[in-house]
Amino acid sequence: MAVPRATPTEESCTLSPTNDPWLLTPGPLTTSPEVKDAMLHDVGSRDTDFIALNARIRERLLRIVDGEARCTTVPLQGSGTFVVEAMLTTFLPPDGRLLILINGAYGWRMAKICQVAGLSYTTLEWPEDTPVDPDAVARKLEEEPHVTHVAVVHCETTSGVLNPIERVAEVVARRGRRLLIDSMSAFGALPLSAEQIAFDAVVASSNKCLEGVPGFGFCIADREALSNCQGNASSLSLDLFEQWTAMEGNGQWRFTPPTHALLAFDRALDAFEAEGGQEGRGGRYRENCRILVDGMRRLGFQTLLADEVQAPIIVTFHKPADERFDFDAFYDALRARGFVIYPGKLTVADSFRIGCIGQVGPQQMHHVLEAIERTLHNMQVVERAPKA
Ligand SMILES: *Cc1c(COP(=O)(O)O)cnc(C)c1O
């Protein structure tokens, strides 16, 4: 059954094909009509077609990161945080100790996961506008001989900063430690190869750069490393070793799979491959980001990050100093014009964020800039630079 598309009236140019606002956020994100359409079916979890679809998805995810030779894909129900928690608690052995590299909220969330799970951990911290520093990681590993694993966030979605995971991976591997990567907001859009980066596990989710609907996450795990993880997890449902061995056994999920989300995801991967895989997807997002940043600077806004460390995923802008700028009113006005943006979550500056990912392109970026310009005009905001 086809989803009716909105007729291209003047109104619909600011709404999605299903008449929804465009989600310029860190997630959930805008998905295509085709992806939503794929969910109009009920499938049984033991059905052979579904088992084949599940196997196909696992294979296709491996190929995105050149992981066929040494890795396996373990999908897991829940939002992205569930699979981050599953990764940390499955891969850390009882006598292990984790070093968490923190330059934003998602790094802090990993520390919280360790605290709740009672895992041994330590942290290295940087300001939110600064990438993690591999040299500091090297020094910390010399000082802390008991650290067995290091966890890093690929793109810290809190600010949009890109962390140098290649150089972090080198430092970690050279000192005989193991690397765990939260690539939630980068997977599929930024380069990441299991042949070039030594990691034990990488996690991401269905609804970020791969543009499926929310509902599950997945771990790309080194098979040998994962095979040593039996009994590590302290949770029944977030145990990636058990999830993996059960799935290898009969092709099924241990507990009710998010069948509709998987149907949608298979369709989303068709679109991903048709767009040219990571290079194509990353290229569209880079173009979105360039249009957005150039346009916002023309309007007088300043980005939090220097261009060299900005990932083309989400952009943080300083709030204008002008007292007439009110974020809630700004948000509501943009929402009325068909765009959902996101508040900032920074401790270093008053800010807001606009995402470049999801099923959006240059046209939406130009339109949101027009909407912002009109909104500022109506708010009579003249001075857009941040407070000195
Ligand atoms: C989105 C995201 C997550 C997961 O967040 P959920 O709200 O649980 O889906 C984890 N890490 C990063 C870097 C993210 O961008």
Side-chain angles (χ1 to χ4, degrees), residues 1 3 31-43 212-214 258-265 267:
M1 196 180 112
V3 168
T31 58
S32 72
E34 292 75 21
V35 163
K36 288 186 275 285
D37 189 48
M39 293 188 289
L40 298 174
H41 298 280
D42 299 312
V43 296
V213 303
T259 45
H260 299 82
L262 287 156
L263 289 167
F265 195 64
R267 188 72 61 84

Side-chain angles (χ1 to χ4, degrees), residues 232-260:
N232 286 352
S234 51
S235 147
L236 175 72
S237 56
L238 300 182
D239 186 333
L240 292 177
F241 177 87
E242 294 299 331
Q243 183 86 339
W244 176 46
T245 48
M247 205 170 274
E248 289 293 315
N250 62 6
Q252 297 174 27
W253 292 53
R254 275 190 305 163
F255 309 121
T256 302
T259 45
H260 299 82

